């Protein structure tokens, strides 16, 4: 059984869809992110469905998404600045499309994901150990 706090942080599927579509609408038009998305995503309807499933799993615990997003992203031509911009746009969309507690949870998950991806993609050990 969930607590009232957990219920408040769980968005509806319609809110998740609004978040994903709203975010990607802006990201596709963004000067930094847009070219990466346009070069990599051939079928936007399918991509948006998969991303909705991912966030449904992440925020609501559904089992529609399986797998890991990291292998898909590690091969992309991105730099840390792309992650900063992605996070900025995602946070704005989360605040706009999700209620407060759900937006906070989504932003925390997105920040963790961005840090984890960057650690895996850009980590360079020091030569002196």
């Amino acid at each position: 059984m969930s607590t009232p706090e957990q219920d408040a942080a769980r968005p509806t599927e319609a809110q998740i869809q609004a978040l994903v579509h709203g975010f990607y609408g802006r990201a596709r038009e963004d000067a930094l992110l847009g070219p990466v998305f346009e070069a990599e995503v051939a079928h936007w309807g399918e991509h948006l469905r998969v991303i909705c499933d991912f966030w449904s799993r992440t925020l609501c615990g559904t089992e529609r998404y399986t797998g890991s997003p990291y292998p898909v992203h590690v091969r992309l031509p991105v730099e840390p600045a792309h992650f900063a911009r992605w996070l900025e746009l995602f946070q704005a969309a989360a605040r706009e499309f999700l209620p407060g507690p759900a937006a906070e949870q989504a932003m925390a998950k997105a920040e963790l994901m961005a840090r984890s991806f960057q650690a895996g993609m850009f980590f360079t050990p020091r030569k002196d150990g």
Side-chain angles (χ1 to χ4, degrees), residues 15-25 47-48 51-52 55 97:
Q15 290 168 333
I16 290 171
Q17 185 172 355
L19 165 67
V20 169
H21 286 254
F23 165 77
Y24 276 99
H47 182 72
L48 293 172
I51 302 304
C52 284
W55 283 106
F97 295 108

Side-chain angles (χ1 to χ4, degrees), residues 3-112:
T3 67
E5 292 82 18
Q6 290 169 323
D7 289 341
R10 186 172 292 127
T12 66
E13 294 296 329
Q15 290 168 333
I16 290 171
Q17 185 172 355
L19 165 67
V20 169
H21 286 254
F23 165 77
Y24 276 99
R26 293 174 188 152
R28 290 176 73 179
E29 295 177 2
D30 186 75
L32 182 61
L33 299 179
V36 175
F37 285 119
E38 290 308 314
E40 296 294 328
V41 179
H43 305 285
W44 275 99
E46 175 65 13
H47 182 72
L48 293 172
R49 184 194 62 74
V50 169
I51 302 304
C52 284
D53 288 350
F54 171 81
W55 283 106
S56 178
R57 176 184 171 193
T58 301
L59 298 175
C60 299
T62 64
E63 297 184 14
R64 291 197 317 259
Y65 179 86
T66 58
S68 172
Y70 182 76
V72 174
H73 292 83
V74 73
R75 63 175 182 74
L76 297 177
V78 295
E79 299 296 328
H82 290 89
F83 284 94
R85 183 62 178 149
W86 176 86
L87 202 51
E88 181 181 352
L89 291 177
F90 185 87
Q91 289 171 337
R95 287 185 190 100
E96 180 177 347
F97 295 108
L98 300 179
E104 293 299 321
Q105 180 187 22
M107 290 185 297
K109 298 281 187 176
E111 288 174 25
L112 177 61

